[in-house]
Amino acid sequence: SQQEEESPWVLSVQEGENATMNCSYKSSTTTLQWYRQDSGKGPALVILIRANEREKHSGRLTATLDTSTKRSVLHITASQAADAATYFCATDAQ
C-alpha cells in the first residue's frame, strides 16, 4: 500500500530559476515516486527512483534518493510556467 510521506509542495518560483523539493520517509522502501498534481486533476507520476539508484533524470527533472537518511530531493532545472503544480512524494512502504 502506498503512503504519502510529507505534506505536498506547492512550487512557487520565478521562471528560469531552479526549484528544489525535499521529501523524507519513515519506512525502508524499494521505490520512491514523485507526483505532480495540477489544479482540478489527479496526481500524475513524473519520476520514479529505485533504492539502488542514486539519481534519476527525466527531462529537466532530477530526483535523488539517499536511503541511509531516507530522503529524496526533486530538482527542476530552469523552471517554466508549465511546471507550476503541487508536487508530492510517495513510497511503496508496506
Side-chain angles (χ1 to χ4, degrees):
S1 64
Q2 288 195 344
Q3 58 189 71
E4 193 174 319
E5 295 287 351
E6 193 149 313
S7 57
W9 287 82
V10 179
L11 180 61
S12 175
V13 294
Q14 299 296 312
E15 279 190 67
E17 286 184 357
N18 296 343
T20 302
M21 287 158 280
N22 296 283
C23 162
S24 57
Y25 57 95
K26 297 175 184 67
S27 309
S28 60
T29 183
T30 54
T31 63
L32 183 139
Q33 301 89 35
W34 279 96
Y35 293 88
R36 67 171 282 168
Q37 187 161 12
D38 295 297
S39 181
K41 295 183 179 177
L45 179 68
V46 290
I47 201 161
L48 180 150
I49 185 165
R50 301 183 191 281
N52 61 351
E53 299 173 313
R54 309 294 292 178
E55 198 169 275
K56 189 76 172 285
H57 298 273
S58 175
R60 290 177 296 103
L61 302 183
T62 303
T64 61
L65 181 61
D66 186 337
T67 52
S68 61
T69 58
K70 294 186 168 57
R71 291 180 67 81
S72 177
V73 179
L74 179 69
H75 300 277
I76 303 179
T77 305
S79 59
Q80 300 174 0
D83 296 324
T86 300
Y87 292 82
F88 61 91
C89 70
T91 69
D92 65 350
Q94 303 303 308

